[in-house]
Amino acid sequence: MLFVRRAAIHSACRSPVVRTLSHRYTGIKALSFRAPQEPVVIGEEVDVECTAVAFGGRGVCKFPGGFVILCERAVPGEKVHARITAIKKGGRYAEAVKIQRLRPTPYHVNAPCPHFDRCGGCTWLDVAYDQQLAFKRDQVVDVMTRIARINDADRIVNAISPSQQRLRYRNKMEFAFAQVGDNSSGRPAFGLRPAGDHTGLVEVFTSGCVLQQVVADKVLARCAAHLHAMADVSALLPVFNRRTGCGVLRSLTLRTAPLAGRCSGETAVMVIIAAALDRQGKETKKAFAALAADLATIDCVQSVVHERVLSQPELRRAEGRRQVWVKNGRGIRGREHENGSSTALVSGDNNENQITVLHGPATISITLRGVVFALSVKSFFQTNTKQAEILVESVEEACALTGENTETILDLFCGVGTFGLCLASKARHVYGCEIVPEAVEDAKRNAVANRIENATFWQADLAQLSESMLCADSKSMSKSIVFGKDVVRPDVVIVDPARSGMDVTLVAILRSLGIPRIVYVSCNPATQARDVALLCDVSDNTQSGDLLAKYRLISCIPVDLFPHTPHVENIVVLERVPSTRGYEVYS
């Protein structure tokens, strides 16, 4: 009876009116039985060959008959033994995880890390680097063709800029604490969470992590030695339980930067310990202070900071999901994005109460293209410092500035002002906008410290902008955007949003402004391609009675900031299409 009902539904799916609803229904049914067009079921183990890479890095494998399986960590040319984990889109394809490699890919290399098989952080550490770059460019071409609907994407997408440093390139790493042993006597351990697993842990302190600086490995080893030497560590410094909100130690974050002065040529480290201490007694706070003091004695550890954790659950049960426990949006910082934007803190406390500097300064400094950036704990900065130089250089070239200090730049999602401050010397004025208050304060301080006077920064939620912030110039038939007392009519806009991309309202505002050039930087080319399609929309849609500017994609520049992972940073350059209805006079 179920099979008959399923067949009837798929017949009805030919109608576009019911397609979405029926796919939702059959997607639920796919979890409970095998449909005729689904040759696999959840939990089944299969042998398949990977033929391509899907966006996000999963391998595309095809079952006999053409049924598609997206397999985690499978690489083209590789034959794998995999377990089916989900049936998606009403039975259109399945997801799987690789259990065993049956035949290696032609691009296989030995991974230089003993934790590679379990950790999952370096998905492609066992793939030749030149081939990694080819896979990443192919992903960009794919989304620009399929989502942005760019017909000649293969011509427009440049060769990817390789990373100058392929190991030890990260300037920031976060390690989670977890309990090893039973509930009463288990010792705190720390390491990296396996991909897609909120409960597992890969301990890396014995051999370190090949992505971070060597001095950061020393901090991990010292922290482990300190905790192992404490006889009552499980009682005084228990691991924070993300399900219940009980416990103390949550995570250890290490931020590194080249160090000047007495350790010139070496690396400075900022140690950030996220812990819940508010409800703890004097002995626990004393033990925590002793741990921080011990870490502060390591050469070139510049500062040790306590980041307050709220004694609240951070995970919730998720019925019917592959992960039984998922994030529920509560905890120390709300949701943080790769570009530094975040939601507001859940706690009603002032932001300054969330951070306590225990040793040393409250910031760590990184120099980029001659500009010194002092970064506070919550401020975002590109994690690959050397490759960030290439990224900023590429953004500057994309802006096509005259060099005569005549252009006004609007830097949206500006973080600590990385792009704006690096380009300020060639612009008339730079205006930056960011939601994270700490990042905005850092940007202002960085401008002052570097004696950059033509830069202004605001705090604002770009998802909440409205057309009421636009004002029209009757003479030039163009529009400006208003932030407080500043009326800005930019020549170039740089946008670097979170992985989710831009809000549709912001896209509409950019089109209403009719800016001559938009330089869009993204760590998620898929959502970037979606926004490019909206900006390049050829329809004559209007908003509030005004013509929306149309754009064309003139170049696409992928940059590899994350070697050995599927992630790629991508820069697209959009140029306004001339119009006879007012926009061509904007100059």
Side-chain angles (χ1 to χ4, degrees):
M1 184 63 182
L2 288 174
F3 282 92
V4 172
R5 181 178 299 176
R6 183 65 174 274
I9 290 172
H10 275 273
S11 176
C13 281
R14 296 173 184 173
S15 169
V17 177
V18 299
R19 184 175 294 122
T20 300
L21 180 59
S22 62
H23 276 185
R24 186 182 306 156
Y25 175 81
T26 53
I28 296 172
K29 289 295 181 184
L31 298 178
S32 58
F33 66 91
R34 181 198 298 260
Q37 64 271 39
E38 297 167 14
V40 295
V41 293
I42 294 175
E44 184 175 354
E45 296 185 2
V46 295
D47 295 344
V48 288
E49 183 171 348
C50 181
T51 59
V53 176
F55 181 77
R58 291 181 296 179
V60 178
C61 307
K62 290 189 178 180
F63 216 58
F67 184 74
V68 174
I69 299 173
L70 299 182
C71 184
E72 295 284 352
R73 303 186 73 171
V75 180
E78 187 177 54
K79 186 174 182 180
V80 301
H81 183 65
R83 180 186 298 113
I84 305 300
T85 58
I87 306 295
K88 293 291 187 177
K89 299 293 183 182
R92 290 167 59 188
Y93 70 92
E95 293 181 348
V97 294
K98 182 171 75 174
I99 300 174
Q100 181 184 2
R101 180 189 298 114
L102 301 178
R103 186 188 69 221
T105 173
Y107 324 115
H108 177 76
V109 296
N110 293 326
C113 176
H115 310 291
F116 170 70
D117 289 333
R118 285 197 60 221
C119 177
C122 304
T123 314
W124 288 341
L125 192 59
D126 62 343
V127 177
Y129 185 65
D130 289 347
Q131 194 59 43
Q132 293 181 32
L133 298 180
F135 289 159
K136 294 184 182 189
R137 183 183 181 275
D138 288 347
Q139 290 185 71
V140 175
V141 172
D142 173 60
V143 295
M144 289 300 159
T145 302
R146 181 168 46 83
I147 302 176
R149 302 190 295 277
I150 304 299
N151 294 328
D152 54 349
D154 190 52
R155 178 186 63 82
I156 291 178
V157 178
N158 292 12
I160 185 170
S161 297
S163 180
Q164 301 176 69
Q165 194 169 347
R166 299 171 192 177
L167 295 176
R168 307 288 182 185
Y169 65 84
R170 288 190 65 97
N171 58 39
K172 184 179 180 183
M173 291 282 291
E174 181 176 343
F175 301 90
F177 283 98
Q179 186 170 275
V180 175
D182 59 47
N183 293 333
S184 60
S185 61
R187 64 174 176 82
F190 58 92
L192 298 169
R193 299 286 187 191
D197 187 350
H198 293 308
T199 58
L201 189 77
V202 180
E203 296 185 72
V204 299
F205 60 84
T206 54
S207 58
C209 175
V210 297
L211 295 189
Q212 70 175 359
Q213 302 295 317
V214 174
V215 68
D217 285 342
K218 295 179 180 178
V219 177
L220 292 183
R222 176 70 67 86
C223 183
H226 184 97
L227 294 175
H228 289 180
M230 288 181 60
D232 51 355
V233 61
S234 59
L236 292 177
L237 295 177
V239 171
F240 180 77
N241 189 320
R242 302 177 70 198
R243 301 176 185 178
T244 64
C246 299
V248 177
L249 300 177
R250 183 190 184 279
S251 65
L252 178 73
T253 300
L254 306 179
R255 203 163 201 169
T256 58
L259 184 63
R262 65 180 180 87
C263 293
S264 180
E266 297 184 23
T267 303
V269 184
M270 170 184 277
V271 181
I272 306 161
I273 311 173
L277 292 177
D278 288 352
R279 300 180 183 178
Q280 306 300 325
K282 292 182 180 180
E283 292 302 316
T284 288
K285 293 179 179 179
K286 183 179 178 181
F288 180 81
L291 171 62
D294 189 11
L295 298 180
T297 63
I298 302 174
D299 288 343
C300 295
V301 166
Q302 179 176 281
S303 57
V304 181
V305 176
H306 169 221
E307 184 172 9
R308 179 188 172 200
V309 174
L310 302 178
S311 296
Q312 298 176 357
E314 294 181 2
L315 300 179
R316 62 178 173 81
R317 282 193 174 275
E319 301 298 335
R321 297 276 294 273
R322 184 172 64 175
Q323 288 298 323
V324 178
W325 295 89
V326 296
K327 295 178 181 178
N328 66 357
R330 301 170 66 188
I332 55 175
R333 291 163 292 189
R335 185 176 69 254
E336 291 192 353
H337 303 294
E338 290 193 26
N339 77 324
S341 301
S342 73
T343 57
L345 292 168
V346 176
S347 169
D349 297 341
N350 293 328
N351 288 351
E352 57 267 26
N353 293 334
Q354 305 297 318
I355 300 298
T356 302
V357 179
L358 304 175
H359 299 277
T363 61
I364 188 169
S365 297
I366 294 180
T367 302
L368 190 64
R369 305 201 76 197
V371 179
V372 180
F373 293 89
L375 310 175
S376 59
V377 171
K378 296 185 180 182
S379 294
F380 169 81
F381 197 80
Q382 294 291 348
T383 56
N384 187 336
T385 307
K386 288 188 177 181
Q387 198 65 359
E389 295 268 356
I390 303 299
L391 182 68
V392 174
E393 181 181 349
S394 299
V395 169
E396 181 180 324
E397 292 176 358
C399 288
L401 303 177
T402 62
E404 299 177 358
N405 301 93
T406 56
E407 292 94 349
T408 296
I409 298 175
L410 179 59
D411 186 7
L412 302 180
F413 310 95
C414 67
V416 297
T418 307
F419 294 126
L421 293 178
C422 286
L423 272 59
S425 63
K426 297 185 178 180
R428 185 182 71 83
H429 202 96
V430 171
Y431 295 92
C433 187
E434 168 62 47
I435 187 176
V436 181
E438 294 87 356
V440 175
E441 291 305 312
D442 281 349
K444 292 177 179 178
R445 283 193 294 265
N446 291 331
V448 173
N450 289 277
R451 298 181 180 179
I452 297 173
E453 299 180 353
N454 61 331
T456 303
F457 296 95
W458 313 285
Q459 180 193 354
D461 184 354
L462 292 170
Q464 302 299 320
L465 295 185
S466 66
E467 287 217 337
S468 63
M469 300 181 67
L470 301 180
C471 64
D473 186 328
S474 58
K475 294 183 179 179
S476 65
M477 298 176 65
S478 62
K479 290 185 177 181
S480 302
I481 188 167
V482 181
F483 287 97
K485 297 180 180 179
D486 296 299
V487 179
V488 182
R489 188 159 68 96
D491 302 288
V492 180
V493 168
I494 301 171
V495 292
D496 184 12
R499 292 188 62 82
S500 56
M502 291 193 290
D503 186 85
V504 290
T505 304
L506 179 57
V507 173
I509 287 175
L510 293 178
R511 292 188 64 181
S512 294
L513 284 170
I515 302 145
R517 180 171 290 241
I518 298 174
V519 178
Y520 189 157
V521 184
S522 176
C523 58
N524 186 350
T527 54
Q528 182 187 50
R530 177 204 65 200
D531 295 340
V532 167
L534 295 175
L535 290 164
C536 296
D537 187 2
V538 296
S539 65
D540 283 328
N541 292 332
T542 60
Q543 184 161 324
S544 303
D546 296 324
L547 180 69
L548 298 179
K550 304 166 190 173
Y551 290 85
R552 58 170 170 254
L553 178 64
I554 61 173
S555 68
C556 187
I557 310 154
V559 181
D560 186 22
L561 266 74
F562 314 101
H564 312 304
T565 77
H567 302 297
V568 57
E569 200 85 7
N570 195 47
I571 306 166
V572 298
V573 184
L574 296 151
E575 189 177 70
R576 191 190 65 234
V577 176
S579 168
T580 58
R581 297 175 65 180
Y583 284 108
E584 78 283 4
V585 299
Y586 185 111
S587 60

